[in-house]
Amino acid sequence: MKKLTPATIFRLFFVPIFVLVTILLYLLLYYSFHLSGLAVGVVLAGVVIGSLQLIKETAEKLLARQFALDYIALLAISMGVITGQYLVAAVIVLMLSGGNTLEEYGMEIAKRSLTSLTDRIPNEVLLVGSGSRETVTKIEAIKVGQTILVRKGEVISLDGILVSEDGLTDESSLTGEPYMIEKMKGDRIRSGTINVGNSIQIMVTSAAGNSTYRKIIEMVKTAQDQKAPLIRLADRYSTIFTIITLIIAGFAYLISHEIGRVLAVLVIATPCPLILATPIALMGGMNAAARKRIIIKNLASIEALSRVDTIIFDKTGTITLGKPTISGIEILDKEFSEKDVLQIAESIERHSLHPLAKAIVQKAKDAKIKHIQATAIDESIGKGIQGIVEGKTYSFSKPKQQEGMAIDMYLGKKHIARFLFEDEMKQGSKAIVKKLQKLGIEIHIFTGDKESAAKKLVATLGENIAYKADCSPEDKKKGIEQLRKQGKTIAMVGDGINDAPALALADVGMVFSNEEQTAASEAADIIFLGGDFSSVMDALFISRNTIRIALESIISGIGISVLGMIFAAL
């Protein structure tokens, strides 16, 4: 995680430090040098500058017809200035600005580890001109019909049609499917995916502003605008507390006719537990989460998560590992044993980039199969791979008709074995889903994977789990909108760009990231560094415990303040 720069720290802490300095200068000038006029001017500068943000927020809340504890604080500050109690006004400003700074500081720390969605797409591309000459060109300058070159490992920046004979792309970030897609000349290529094969040429069919990836970004922005605004925890108790405060302040003036007594009531009604203890409790929750490698982008997310009654999970990379593993090997020629076919397959497939090939290599490694040499390797995108092992030619290709993931193995034209694959569930997924259900949380699964894969996963996880298969990013977003109409408080858990609009729209978006920087992180509120599924339960428990502590602070703070106001009035 990147550290905060001195400039950022100065910006965050400038107001409370400035107010504190004016208070100290006031005390020095007033009591040591008896320069009362200068002292008042200094402390008033602190009060005015420290109150600017409070005045702005209060005006916004008044326009939105919301009650907040800030009203009492602003009234107390104003009364302090009117009655000449400048030091009192400055101390209240210091408490308020200190509480706001703590909250902003926590949010800034979380944001340091994140990147923007737009940072993922390169700003420049290689434009292929006449004579196959390549020139570096700004992405905004690329026009429909022009051809671009995308090198191995690069993110594809624009939608287009494959001009090269073949290609291999990783579309998991858009579709959620845990395997690479083989492309042939003329196939559609979508922006936001990754070229994992050799360099390819693409004829652009959509300008930068209309690309698939840009549309997803726009969906994210729209979803963030649609998200219901969170009301601060303390503000929920502000209406009745404000009424009680005004009643006691009015009573104090009626029995004493002293404005100073009213000020005393208002000062006590600006309680430290409500201004400082709540953000401190939330910061404590944020730090507890960080120790478990959970990054919380903003403090309000802790409160929102504590109220969640519905959790929607993506499948691939969220509940599952996001990479295929061998689930079985069917031997169709009894002359070969499982060890034989695995040994031959490993010797050839180790030369392939395909994720199913990697699963075969990993299986052989786990089984401690001795490696043998393969020669004359020939891989053809869309057709498969073949090679010679101990003088015999073996080939591997996808079955023409097969539900799920599989690879057929041939000796010449003789079909000798079939490898079956599945996207393995993360450890503890089933147990944690059951625990969440016991807590009264409704579970849904929205996946871009096929119906059969989704149905199989749900059957494994348990009962009372709703699911939607073949979901596009727009489908996931619409699914959340439907649940929100039912009055649900929703958390969305995902891991890729295809989840970003849903993550942004949900009351709380949570994303799994194997790195600190991920495109989907910009849309989410909470980021899990790593793939441990138990992080979901950890985050939920931390949020509920944090809000319990914060509520205790609020209720006790209000109780003590009411008693203090009564004593001040009398």
Side-chain angles (χ1 to χ4, degrees), residues 152 167-173 175-183 193-197 322-324 352-358 379 381-382 398 405:
K152 182 177 179 178
L168 187 64
T169 61
D170 178 359
E171 298 190 357
S172 59
S173 59
T175 65
E177 295 183 1
Y179 40 84
M180 300 179 196
I181 307 297
E182 296 159 342
K183 298 289 184 178
T193 59
I194 302 171
N195 176 30
V196 293
K323 58 182 181 180
S352 174
L353 286 170
H354 202 286
L356 300 186
K358 291 179 180 179
E379 183 174 19
I381 303 296
K398 287 185 178 181
M405 295 180 283

Side-chain angles (χ1 to χ4, degrees), residues 208-225:
N210 296 320
S211 68
T212 299
Y213 192 73
R214 293 286 175 180
K215 287 176 181 176
I216 290 177
I217 294 173
E218 288 304 315
M219 275 196 283
V220 170
K221 291 178 179 177
T222 302
Q224 287 173 334
D225 292 337

Side-chain angles (χ1 to χ4, degrees), residues 95-347:
M95 285 196 302
L96 285 167
S97 60
N100 290 336
T101 297
L102 278 175
E103 187 167 349
E104 289 177 16
Y105 177 68
M107 291 169 64
E108 195 68 36
I109 288 176
K111 288 177 181 177
R112 284 280 125 184
S113 66
L114 306 173
T115 59
S116 170
L117 273 167
T118 53
D119 287 345
R120 189 171 183 269
I121 290 287
N123 294 320
E124 298 175 332
V125 293
L126 286 173
L127 177 64
V128 180
S130 58
S132 297
R133 189 178 62 181
E134 299 162 8
T135 55
V136 177
T137 308
K138 291 285 185 183
I139 189 172
E140 291 80 8
I142 300 296
K143 298 177 181 177
V144 173
Q146 291 183 314
T147 301
I148 62 172
L149 178 74
V150 182
R151 291 170 294 202
K152 182 177 179 178
E154 289 184 341
V155 176
I156 297 168
S157 54
L158 295 162
D159 293 338
I161 300 296
L162 185 63
V163 175
S164 303
E165 290 299 321
D166 51 50
L168 187 64
T169 61
D170 178 359
E171 298 190 357
S172 59
S173 59
L174 291 185
T175 65
E177 295 183 1
Y179 40 84
M180 300 179 196
I181 307 297
E182 296 159 342
K183 298 289 184 178
M184 304 301 292
K185 185 175 182 178
D187 284 351
R188 180 188 175 198
I189 303 290
R190 291 186 289 181
S191 59
T193 59
I194 302 171
N195 176 30
V196 293
N198 297 323
S199 296
I200 55 175
Q201 289 188 4
I202 300 169
M203 186 184 74
V204 176
T205 57
S206 297
N210 296 320
S211 68
T212 299
Y213 192 73
R214 293 286 175 180
K215 287 176 181 176
I216 290 177
I217 294 173
E218 288 304 315
M219 275 196 283
V220 170
K221 291 178 179 177
T222 302
Q224 287 173 334
D225 292 337
Q226 290 174 352
K227 181 180 283 191
L230 286 165
I231 300 172
R232 287 188 309 174
L233 192 63
D235 289 346
R236 296 187 178 192
Y237 299 85
S238 64
T239 304
I240 188 167
F241 186 66
T242 301
I243 294 170
I244 291 172
T245 299
L246 294 177
I247 290 172
I248 295 176
F251 175 74
Y253 185 76
L254 285 175
I255 62 173
S256 67
H257 298 288
E258 295 178 8
I259 200 71
R261 196 74 64 88
V262 175
L263 176 61
V265 171
L266 293 176
V267 169
I268 293 172
T270 312
C272 189
L274 287 169
I275 295 171
L276 292 177
T278 301
I280 287 173
L282 295 177
M283 281 283 289
M286 181 179 279
N287 290 332
R291 286 194 291 271
K292 291 185 175 290
R293 302 188 74 227
I294 300 170
I295 294 177
I296 298 174
K297 286 171 64 175
N298 57 75
L299 298 180
S301 300
I302 299 177
E303 181 192 351
L305 183 58
S306 71
R307 296 186 287 107
V308 160
D309 55 28
T310 303
I311 297 182
I312 300 168
F313 290 99
D314 171 50
K315 172 184 169 285
T316 305
T318 303
I319 295 178
T320 65
L321 292 172
K323 58 182 181 180
T325 55
I326 292 179
S327 58
I329 302 175
E330 296 178 358
I331 305 299
L332 304 175
D333 187 331
K334 300 305 178 183
E335 291 183 13
F336 293 84
S337 66
E338 184 173 304
K339 181 180 178 182
D340 292 334
V341 298
L342 190 56
Q343 186 177 46
I344 295 166
E346 187 274 343
S347 67

